[in-house]
Structure formats: C-alpha cells, structure tokens
Amino acid sequence: MIPLSVRWPLGTMSFLLLASLLMLLSVSTPSWGQSSETTSPKAGDGTPFPWNKMRLPEHIIPVHYDLMIHANLTTLTFEGTTAIEITASQPTSAIILHSNHLQISKATLKKGAGERQSEEPLRVLEYPPHEQIALLAPEPLAVGFPYTVVIDYAGNLSETFHGFYKSTYRTKEGEVRTLASTQFEPIAARMAFPCFDEPAFKASFLIKIRREPRHLAISNMPLVKSVTIAEGLIEDHFDVTVKMSTYLVAFIISDFKSVSKMTKSGVKVSVYTVPDKINQADYALDAAVTLLEFYEDYFSIPYPLPKQDLAAIPDFQAGAMENWGLTTYRESSLLFDAEKSSASSKLGITMVVSHELAHQWFGNLVTMEWWNDLWLNEGFAKFMEFVSVSVTHPELKVEEHFFDKCFDAMEVDALNSSHPVSTPVENPAQIREMFDDVSYEKGACILNMLRDYLSADAFKSGIIQYLQKYSYKNTKNEDLWNSMASICPTDGTQSMDGFCSAGQHSSSSSHWRQEGVDVKTMMNTWTLQKGFPMITVTVRGRNVHMKQEHYQKGSGTIETGYLWHVPLTFITSKSNSVQRFLLKTKTDVLILPEEVEWIKFNVGMNGYYIVHYEDDGWDSLTGLLQGTHTAISSNDRASLINSAFQLVSIGKLPIEKALDLTLYLKHETEIMPMFQGMNELIPMYKLMEKREMNEVETQFKAFLIRLLRDHIDKQTWTDEGSVSERMLRSQLLLLACVRKYQPCVQRAEGYFREWKEANGNLRLPNDVTLAVFAVGAQTPEGWDFLYKKYQSSLSSTEKNQIEFALCTSQNEEKLQWLLDQSFKGDVIKTQEFPGILRTIGRNPVGYRLAWQFLQENWNKLVEKFDLGSPAIAFMVMGTTNQFSTRARLEEVKGFFSSLKENGSQLRCVQQTIETIEENIRWMDKNFDKIRLWLQNEKLELL
C-alpha cells in the first residue's frame, strides 16, 4: 500500500502527485480500549464469548476459501457465502474468526471430504469490540481432520474507503454511475467476508462474483467461465489463487474499459479505468510491463500469476494497493494525460506502479508475520522503487528524489514520540498508525545504507535468498538479517567484493572489513531502536575524533543509552575516494594519512545519520560551498543544508551560520540542494505568518526571492528540459508568483487571461500551470472560473492544480466553502478533503478555519477516515504543526485530551504537540537573531 502523503508545494519537496494522496485504511472503529484483553467478554446476546484476546487463536488453520459474492449496485447491499476449509491442531469446539458489520444468517460445519461429508449446524456468537465471531460446534473438532465451515451472510456496501465499498463517477454527459471495489489492507477483508483476517493465516481463494450483464467483474485471478444463473444475473468464476493473506484479496464490479499487453514471459498486463479516461492508460501500461520484466529478472523468481491488472478507482483514499494480480490506484496515481499531466505526475505514477509491483514479491510472495514488521513490506517496496526505476526509466533520475525521503523520515524520527521501525502493535488504531514515514521512508533509507555497506551485489544475493527461502510464507525481522548474514558469514571467509573478509588492511579506513560482518547485530540497532545518531567530528591534526549520540529535538542529544553500528563514509580535500569506517562504540579515533582542509562525512547521504563538525569544520565546508560547491556531490550539498538546520534546532550551530551556508544557493543548479534549501527556509516564514510578525516576515520573504531571483528569472515558461529541471521550474515559478514577485505575477496574469478567454481550451505549458492558476485564483472571477473548469476536467493533474490554486485564495468565505464542499463530496470528492484541509491550514488567511473545521467535525472525520489512519495524521499535523505560541499549544492540548479514547492517544497528536513545543523554543531562541541577520550588509550583495 502506498500512503503517498505526498506534500503540497511551498514548503515542500517534490509535489509528486500534487494531490496529497493519503491512505485510508480499515474498519469503522469502535472505541478500542487501552487493554486488548478483557476478563470475560460477553457476546452480543449476553452469552460468554469463548475468546478474550484481540489476536486469533493459532490452533485453527484455514487452508482454502470458496467465496461467492453477489452485490446489488442499486440497493448498495451484498450477500455472500464463504466456505472455509480448516484443520485443527488441538481439539476445540469453538472456531474463532473475524467478521465486521456482516449479518450472518446461517453457519454449518461439514466434516470430511468428498461425497461422504456430514453436516451440522454451528451456533454463532458475535463479539463486535474485537470484530470477532465464534462458531460453536456440538462436539470438539478432531485434530488434523479436514473440515469445511460454510457461512451465509449479508452486508451493506461501505460508505468509507475500505472493506467492500461504493464508488461513483460522473460521465462526460453528467450521468452518475456506481461501482463497487475493495480495499482490505490492513484489517478490512472481514468487512466483505468472515475470515481469519491476520497476515499469517495464508490460504488459497476461489472467488465467484454475481453481477448484472452490463457490468464487468475482475478479481486477483483470470476469469475461467461465466454462468447465467437467472435472467439478468451472471456468475463469474475466477481461477484459484496461490496461497496468500486475506488483505490481498480483491474484486471490482464496474463498467470499466481496459487496454492490455504481454510481458516477455507471457504475463498479461491490463489497465482498467472508467471509459472516459481509457486514453490516459497507456503510460502506466507500458511502465508496468517494463517494471514487471525488471523485477522477474532482478529477483530471479518468475511472477507467479498469469496476469497483472492495474485498476484506477474513482474514490480511493490511499495512493495505491498491491492486491496480488489486481493492484488498485487512485486515478491520479495511474492515469497520465499526455496533454496536461506534469513532469512530477509522470515521475509519481512510475514510482507508485513500481512500488505496487515490487510488493508482488515483497509483501505478497513473502509477507510479514504481523503488522509490527510492516516495514518488511513497505520499506522494501519503497526502496525498490528507486532500484527499479533508476534502471527502467533512467531519464526520470529517481536518485535525485530518494534522499528527501530520508530527510522526511528524520523529521518525525527526531521526536520523542517516534517509534522503532519494528514495534509491537495490537489494536486496529495502532496497526493503522504503522503506515507512516518510519515504516516506509526510514525502512527504505536503512536498506539503502545496508546496500551501500554490503555492496549492491551482496545485498541483491541476500534478498534473493530471503525471497526464495520464504516464498508463500511469513517472516519476522530477523529472518531477513539471517538471509543477509549467510551472504557474509561471520567466520571471516572471503565473500563478494572482499566485503566480508577478515584480512587486515593497512588503512584504518578499511576498518569495517577487519572483522566478520554481523549484519543482524548491526541492523537491529537501526530497527529495534527509535531515532538516529548524530556523529560529532573533531579534527586534531591527522586525528579525527568521532562521537555518536542519540539526536532528539527539544533536548538536543539525550542519554538514552542507544548505540548504533554506524557505517561511516568520508571524503576529504585531499582525496575524493570514499573511505569507510564502522563506528560501533560511543567514541573512536581514526588517523588520516595527512592533514586536510576539510572532511565531509556521510558521502552521498547514504547513511541514516547526521554529522556535526566541531571547531571550524562548518566554516571550512561553508567556504567550500561558496567557493567551488561542485567539489562535492549534489546529495552531499543537500545533506549539509539539512544537517546544518537540524543542528540549529538543538543549539549546536548558530542560526546565522546555517543561513550563511544557504547563500551559496544563488549559484546552485541541481534540484536536490535547491529543494532542500527551500524546505528549510520556507517553513521559517510559515511560522511567522501565524504570529503577526509582519515586518520580519516580509523581510525574510524578500530575502528568499532575492536569493533565488537569478534562478527564477532564467526559467523559460515552457515544458523543456529534464524531469528534474521541469519540477524545479514548476516550484520556483509557483514560489515567485505566490510571493508576488512582479515579473512572475504579470506573466502568469497574461497567461491566465488568455486561458480564460479561450474558455480553458488553450494549452498551457504544464510546468507553469500551477503558478498561472494560483495567480488566477486571487480574483473572485478567476476563482469561480477555475471551479467551473474543475467540474468538467478529466485530467487528474489539472484537477489537482486547480484544487491547490483554489486553496490559495485570500478570501475566507471561499476557503470555508471549499472545506464544506470537499467534505460533503458531491463535486469535489471526499478523498481530496485531507489535502484541501492541509493546504488551507498552510494559508495565512485560512489556517484558523482549517483548525476550527477539524475540531468541529472530528467525530465525522474519524468515522470516514478512521482512527489511526495516515489520513487522520495528515490532517492533524497539517492544521496544527506550524503553530508556535503557548496559547495555541494549550488549545491543541486541550482539544485532543478532551477526545479521550477517540483520539487523545494517537501518535500524531503526540507528534504535533512536540512539534509546536519545538517551534516555540525555536522562535524564542532564533527570531531576534534572524531579524538582525537580515539587516546584514552582505545580503545587499544578493
């Protein structure tokens, strides 16, 4: 699954799909108590319920499901029959499984196999707090004997974005059509059929769907046959699946159209979409074929199914979902309009498709045993996006967009409320909270660090071994490290690239090759501890002293007793060949062959740590950037910018020095450092905007435009250049126009006028459209015209650009209207609401409205988007985390503590409170210094 809380422009790095494609998961949540076990639960009818744990017992094993579903898209209801073949590993007369919001009419137990089955009724008890049912047999089940449980049930199509839910779309002619689709990860298969809904209960599935002749049904496997059951009713039979987890089952009943191609190995790949958008399916289809072929080759394991469908769903809260053989997507994550889609949209679609296809191996073939190790699915799929796309689509230069993911992860991982990559979870809200930057981005970044450490070949051998060994099984954290360790044995024998050798090398820089590589011990320090280390480097002649500490916002570094095994890399003014050193202790010293003018650690930003240079270390690096910044790579430049501002936060570096460092950006040309500079500087004035600090805020905005003016002025208003150049152009012009830089505003006004006069039919360069719309939305007529165009647009990119522009209005009434409309979901779909709320929460005129809306509609939001979901986290952070006054802090604390079990315990609440406290400290300490720095004469030279 991909949450894609892709951030919106301004104060953001790549605006990959423009929409904040969030993820919305799971069940309508009862109030999950803090304890998962009750002493003696009572079923709905008052009878004692025979099981008191949130997790299912392990002694009943499902082997196979026969599932028949009949949905009525007019009454929005469905009925079904599930026959589950089970075996018992110990005698029991209670079969416990999951069911949520389903009305069970009948349950029977068939004993034995073939013709000689006996059948007896089962008593059904329900325990809604745990979403469980108990089926009580008249006598205990015999161990190892085949049984089949048959359950007849009915339910309503869900009005949320998970389970078996309703989606609608409007045709070009204005007709509203209904379809039904599924989203089961993590715990919503139980909303569509009674099942053992935990990832370790893998089974095969035979699915039959009943539908009207005018509809089409698709599922994980190819269609085998269609049978007419009655007039106007057809039953589609799909082939039996491979052994898989319940959360990967999928089926869609719709009137979609499709386009198809075959891969070299004979897998049929198809893209399904609403008929009016089928002409936007070709790009994703070609990308999917290329990527599927890449993965088959890279993993040395053939894709095990005969087909792979990619379906664009009109209502979809996540970015995408990896259901085996039928991946589902938000329309903006799959459909590419050659006329109107932006460069960032092309990059985004390619990455999302590669993520979901990587899951066909990581996640589907080999699945984490329980949600505490979700990162084994998601960190890997996120990492493989970059491994695959850098080979299949080199022109997209994905390597330029990897490390901002690590910076994003560090942002939350530096808070006390962070969590280890692998962390215990039990109840639904906790499970949903795992779908966050730590599981995805940090997971990917530490895998990248491990690959850099072991070598690409050794790493690849390890993951192939892992996938082959655990195919169709479930794994824990240590299974991965054991597979890696067997590539690098600890007995000191030679391995690939000499990386695992025990031979002594003369240079201290080969420090980590001097002993056997203990991958498991090393990686446990990165997955079982939260946070990351700050390495302090002090150079004394040829001696380089290194010290590691746990970096944490607020307290700076704290003595948690955490130690990491840090694979340090460095280059110096005398040598640009990468030197390596494994730091396992709190302090260590390495000796250079000769004295150097500067030393730069964490080469290429491959390590998940930050570096502080004591004494004049920072001054020499700042001098290097201002003199010959190309002496180090663009990734190294971006990581220096990031580290400098991280160090300001804990008082290790004065704000003036960090700001001085950014002055070199006047001469920067690469996207990574440019975006990183904007990501550090823009949030500074965003804090001021919410504090009536007009004078300094205005000066700071003027400084930023002066710093970037040469870059802005030289942008052509076209779609020329590489993807990175185009994305940089889009962001620079948007920033310039929103900051009212007149040459930009006048040009955008001219374009908007022409576009409006042509009734929106003039083709604008895609890279400048965002800036043009943002300027156009500032007048009432322009805003109304954009909204009118929004209603008829078939392009996801264009709709997202218009949506963003509408949110930048300085008119409070229009902003309030937008919040109300997108929440209602008639014209602007509710899936867009989290992004709209957040963007208005970033608007100096709108942020009060957004915060108020969140408070007044909290219960409805939780009902629609689910407690613990990334969508809720995105909205909480988006409306509150730029506050920086004590009054606002008390307001936020007061509101969330009043929610009790309906939100006060959420991790995102702890994160936003910590962030506001950090903002207060930061402003108290740095605001006056910024004011004085802005008056410095060297800025006059900009």
Side-chain angles (χ1 to χ4, degrees):
M1 162 117 41
I2 209 162
L4 271 183
S5 336
V6 170
R7 295 172 304 161
W8 288 54
L10 290 195
T12 87
M13 169 68 180
S14 69
F15 163 61
L16 278 181
L17 300 184
L18 244 168
S20 34
L21 308 181
L22 288 170
M23 148 157 87
L24 179 86
L25 301 167
S26 264
V27 295
S28 50
T29 313
S31 53
W32 302 100
Q34 288 315 295
S35 158
S36 68
E37 300 187 17
T38 45
T39 40
S40 53
K42 295 274 194 290
D45 62 0
T47 316
F49 191 78
W51 186 251
N52 68 349
K53 295 183 174 65
M54 192 81 79
R55 298 278 301 270
L56 297 179
E58 291 173 12
H59 50 258
I60 300 275
I61 313 294
V63 178
H64 174 77
Y65 291 76
D66 258 0
L67 180 60
M68 190 286 294
I69 296 265
H70 178 191
N72 185 324
L73 299 190
T74 310
T75 61
L76 305 179
T77 56
F78 65 95
E79 53 194 41
T81 300
T82 304
I84 314 172
E85 292 173 26
I86 58 169
T87 59
S89 60
Q90 65 186 60
T92 178
S93 50
I95 301 161
I96 314 292
L97 65 162
H98 288 110
S99 173
N100 184 22
H101 288 20
L102 299 174
Q103 294 83 50
I104 292 166
S105 52
K106 184 182 173 194
T108 54
L109 182 69
K110 293 181 175 176
K111 189 176 176 184
E115 296 300 305
R116 303 177 52 193
Q117 285 187 327
S118 62
E119 193 174 304
E120 50 196 16
L122 292 166
R123 185 176 171 206
V124 181
L125 296 179
E126 300 189 31
Y127 188 55
H130 287 178
E131 297 169 359
Q132 290 171 356
I133 55 172
L135 306 177
L136 306 182
E139 59 194 50
L141 276 61
V143 173
F145 205 76
Y147 291 91
T148 302
V149 173
V150 183
I151 306 168
D152 294 335
Y153 63 96
N156 295 321
L157 288 177
S158 170
E159 292 286 336
T160 65
F161 297 97
H162 48 265
F164 189 24
Y165 70 94
K166 174 192 91 168
S167 174
T168 60
Y169 71 93
R170 205 177 287 269
T171 65
K172 274 185 194 154
E173 294 71 41
E175 178 198 348
V176 174
R177 292 193 183 165
T178 302
L179 60 131
S181 184
T182 57
Q183 166 61 44
F184 291 161
E185 190 180 25
I187 45 173
R190 62 191 72 169
M191 295 175 73
F193 58 101
C195 57
F196 296 81
D197 201 9
E198 292 182 6
F201 288 115
K202 288 190 170 184
S204 56
F205 295 81
L206 193 149
I207 295 170
K208 304 184 189 96
I209 303 284
R210 291 185 179 174
R211 59 169 174 90
E212 294 177 47
R214 67 196 171 102
H215 286 131
L216 160 92
I218 49 176
S219 184
N220 304 81
M221 296 297 286
L223 182 67
V224 176
K225 63 175 177 182
S226 298
V227 182
T228 302
I229 300 283
E231 193 180 338
L233 188 63
I234 293 170
E235 185 174 271
D236 289 330
H237 294 219
F238 296 93
D239 214 340
V240 66
T241 70
V242 292
K243 192 177 172 189
M244 66 185 202
S245 304
T246 47
Y247 76 85
L248 293 169
V249 173
F251 37 87
I252 301 169
I253 303 164
S254 68
D255 65 344
F256 285 176
K257 293 269 185 285
S258 65
V259 288
S260 307
K261 278 190 176 174
M262 301 294 275
T263 68
K264 281 189 281 215
S265 59
V267 177
K268 184 182 181 184
V269 179
S270 308
V271 175
Y272 285 84
T273 169
V274 301
D276 288 342
K277 298 182 183 178
I278 193 65
N279 63 336
Q280 298 179 37
D282 293 338
Y283 178 75
L285 179 62
D286 290 341
V289 168
T290 308
L291 285 158
L292 206 60
E293 290 172 348
F294 170 84
Y295 285 133
E296 284 197 310
D297 178 53
Y298 184 90
F299 294 135
S300 303
I301 298 173
Y303 174 72
L305 308 187
K307 61 96 172 171
Q308 168 65 242
D309 297 336
L310 300 84
I313 313 297
D315 297 275
F316 199 84
Q317 192 47 54
M321 176 62 211
E322 66 265 22
N323 318 300
W324 216 344
L326 172 51
T327 51
T328 48
Y329 301 77
R330 188 181 264 239
E331 288 184 333
S332 54
S333 301
L334 191 67
L335 303 182
F336 185 80
D337 179 343
E339 289 275 302
K340 293 181 174 174
S341 290
S342 58
S344 58
S345 171
K346 177 177 275 194
L347 173 64
I349 289 166
T350 316
M351 301 296 267
V352 175
V353 170
S354 77
H355 182 104
E356 303 315 326
L357 295 183
H359 271 312
Q360 308 301 299
W361 285 265
F362 276 104
N364 300 8
L365 184 66
V366 180
T367 313
M368 77 267 138
E369 196 168 286
W370 180 244
W371 302 105
N372 61 314
D373 280 328
L374 174 69
W375 86 276
L376 288 173
N377 281 17
E378 298 300 351
F380 252 110
K382 178 58 74 178
F383 176 62
M384 289 308 299
E385 292 175 25
F386 293 90
V387 174
S388 61
V389 178
S390 62
V391 175
T392 60
H393 297 74
E395 74 286 358
L396 294 179
K397 296 209 168 139
V398 288
E399 59 283 359
E400 296 184 342
H401 305 281
F402 181 73
F403 295 104
D404 68 301
K405 303 285 176 228
C406 306
F407 298 145
D408 289 347
M410 285 174 154
E411 197 62 34
V412 291
D413 207 18
L415 300 173
N416 189 38
S417 51
S418 186
H419 63 91
V421 166
S422 179
T423 208
V425 290
E426 199 163 57
N427 72 40
Q430 290 168 344
I431 291 170
R432 286 191 284 266
E433 284 188 318
M434 288 301 284
F435 290 79
D436 68 355
D437 277 355
V438 173
S439 295
Y440 285 72
E441 271 78 10
K442 180 177 180 178
C445 296
I446 62 175
L447 287 168
N448 178 64
M449 177 169 69
L450 180 62
R451 184 172 75 149
D452 183 60
Y453 172 64
L454 292 178
S455 85
D457 287 343
F459 178 86
K460 181 176 169 179
S461 304
I463 61 176
I464 289 171
Q465 185 163 319
Y466 168 77
L467 288 170
Q468 287 174 339
K469 182 173 181 180
Y470 296 106
S471 289
Y472 305 104
K473 297 190 178 81
N474 294 80
T475 56
K476 299 192 283 291
N477 218 5
E478 66 228 39
D479 297 323
L480 175 63
W481 308 140
N482 291 338
S483 295
M484 292 288 180
S486 59
I487 298 300
C488 273
T490 47
D491 60 6
T493 50
Q494 187 80 20
S495 174
M496 300 176 110
D497 284 6
F499 254 76
C500 307
S501 82
Q504 291 295 319
H505 291 256
S506 55
S507 153
S508 66
S509 60
S510 300
H511 185 80
W512 75 40
R513 304 185 188 189
Q514 292 173 17
E515 48 202 274
V517 172
D518 185 351
V519 174
K520 185 174 173 181
T521 305
M522 170 180 158
M523 291 312 290
N524 279 345
T525 71
W526 296 96
T527 57
L528 304 181
Q529 305 180 136
K530 69 181 178 185
F532 56 89
M534 174 181 81
I535 310 298
T536 300
V537 174
T538 314
V539 180
R540 294 275 179 271
R542 286 172 49 208
N543 290 8
V544 180
H545 297 259
M546 299 161 296
K547 176 174 76 170
Q548 62 162 301
E549 300 162 274
H550 182 180
Y551 175 93
Q552 215 171 71
K553 290 268 171 77
S555 47
T557 54
I558 49 168
E559 274 311 319
T560 47
Y562 290 178
L563 271 184
W564 285 267
H565 286 195
V566 191
L568 297 174
T569 53
F570 65 93
I571 50 174
T572 68
S573 54
K574 294 281 171 42
S575 166
N576 61 4
S577 74
V578 179
Q579 306 296 302
R580 301 173 180 272
F581 188 96
L582 185 65
L583 179 65
K584 294 180 176 180
T585 49
K586 187 161 178 59
T587 58
D588 209 335
V589 183
L590 61 86
I591 300 163
L592 299 173
E594 56 187 320
E595 290 194 20
V596 297
E597 287 158 44
W598 56 262
I599 188 165
K600 163 73 176 70
F601 274 82
N602 200 359
V603 181
M605 181 60 208
N606 281 314
Y608 188 75
Y609 58 90
I610 64 167
V611 185
H612 175 42
Y613 302 92
E614 286 275 24
D615 303 332
D616 59 357
W618 274 106
D619 292 340
S620 53
L621 287 165
T622 301
L624 176 70
L625 288 182
Q626 285 165 352
T628 48
H629 65 270
T630 51
I632 55 175
S633 72
S634 63
N635 280 353
D636 282 317
R637 303 195 296 270
S639 79
L640 282 178
I641 295 169
N642 175 264
S643 288
F645 284 93
Q646 295 269 31
L647 294 166
V648 170
S649 289
I650 59 166
K652 290 278 182 188
L653 195 68
I655 182 72
E656 298 90 341
K657 285 201 174 183
L659 289 168
D660 286 347
L661 179 78
T662 65
L663 296 179
Y664 100 91
L665 287 170
K666 194 175 170 59
H667 307 292
E668 183 55 84
T669 53
E670 301 286 330
I671 189 169
M672 267 289 287
M674 287 291 289
F675 270 171
Q676 197 51 43
M678 290 158 76
N679 277 348
E680 301 295 352
L681 296 171
I682 290 171
M684 290 191 204
Y685 73 67
K686 297 307 284 179
L687 291 181
M688 297 177 202
E689 282 179 346
K690 296 182 172 62
R691 280 187 63 165
E692 314 295 318
M693 296 174 154
N694 303 357
E695 188 191 351
V696 178
E697 176 199 322
T698 306
Q699 288 172 356
F700 194 87
K701 288 173 177 174
F703 148 68
L704 185 56
I705 293 299
R706 279 208 312 280
L707 178 64
L708 301 174
R709 183 172 55 205
D710 290 353
H711 296 294
I712 294 163
D713 288 345
K714 71 168 193 242
Q715 295 303 323
T716 58
W717 286 57
T718 63
D719 287 337
E720 290 163 5
S722 68
V723 168
S724 290
E725 286 164 348
R726 294 180 59 188
M727 287 171 68
L728 185 56
R729 173 185 303 134
S730 185
Q731 292 291 292
L732 284 170
L733 294 180
L734 177 64
L735 175 68
C737 281
V738 171
R739 292 279 59 83
K740 301 191 170 46
Y741 177 56
Q742 279 314 298
C744 181
V745 172
Q746 284 158 11
R747 196 144 180 200
E749 282 173 343
Y751 268 114
F752 188 76
R753 207 168 29 249
E754 288 174 40
W755 182 73
K756 187 164 171 273
E757 281 162 8
N759 197 27
N761 295 319
L762 175 78
R763 186 174 172 185
L764 293 170
N766 295 330
D767 301 340
V768 306
T769 304
L770 197 57
V772 170
F773 287 176
V775 168
Q778 301 312 311
T779 67
E781 313 76 56
W783 198 95
D784 293 341
F785 182 75
L786 280 164
Y787 180 65
K788 191 178 102 191
K789 286 287 126 193
Y790 180 88
Q791 295 174 64
S792 59
S793 175
L794 288 174
S795 156
S796 296
T797 295
E798 183 175 62
K799 288 187 90 137
N800 289 331
Q801 289 169 329
I802 293 175
E803 230 168 72
F804 176 79
L806 296 177
C807 292
T808 63
S809 168
Q810 302 300 290
N811 179 324
E812 283 195 24
E813 280 175 28
K814 290 203 179 295
L815 295 176
Q816 185 62 50
W817 186 87
L818 260 185
L819 288 170
D820 296 335
Q821 286 302 309
S822 55
F823 191 50
K824 204 160 75 182
D826 291 342
V827 177
I828 303 175
K829 285 189 167 289
T830 307
Q831 66 179 19
E832 306 300 337
F833 176 78
I836 286 173
L837 182 77
R838 184 183 187 278
T839 309
I840 293 176
R842 295 287 187 257
N843 179 334
V845 173
Y847 73 90
R848 294 179 191 83
L849 303 175
W851 168 225
Q852 191 178 338
F853 195 96
L854 182 89
Q855 294 173 85
E856 289 173 359
N857 296 281
W858 180 261
N859 290 343
K860 288 185 199 155
L861 287 167
V862 166
E863 216 171 281
K864 188 77 179 173
F865 293 105
D866 270 338
L867 206 58
S869 71
I872 289 285
F874 189 75
M875 291 186 276
V876 167
M877 300 292 277
T879 50
T880 58
N881 74 357
Q882 288 182 345
F883 291 154
S884 64
T885 63
R886 285 169 183 78
R888 286 284 185 202
L889 175 64
E890 292 314 313
E891 210 177 288
V892 170
K893 280 182 168 174
F895 171 69
F896 286 110
S897 64
S898 74
L899 299 173
K900 306 210 165 43
E901 75 276 1
N902 202 26
S904 64
Q905 304 301 315
L906 292 176
R907 188 182 290 124
C908 63
V909 172
Q910 319 305 319
Q911 284 171 338
T912 205
I913 287 170
E914 268 192 83
T915 304
I916 298 168
E917 289 170 343
E918 166 65 16
N919 292 344
I920 292 170
R921 264 193 305 273
W922 199 95
M923 290 294 269
D924 286 352
K925 190 169 173 190
N926 296 311
F927 180 72
D928 284 333
K929 293 178 181 174
I930 294 170
R931 189 166 51 79
L932 290 170
W933 184 84
L934 287 168
Q935 292 159 10
N936 189 320
E937 74 270 5
K938 67 182 158 191
L939 298 187
E940 299 305 316
L941 303 174
L942 277 181

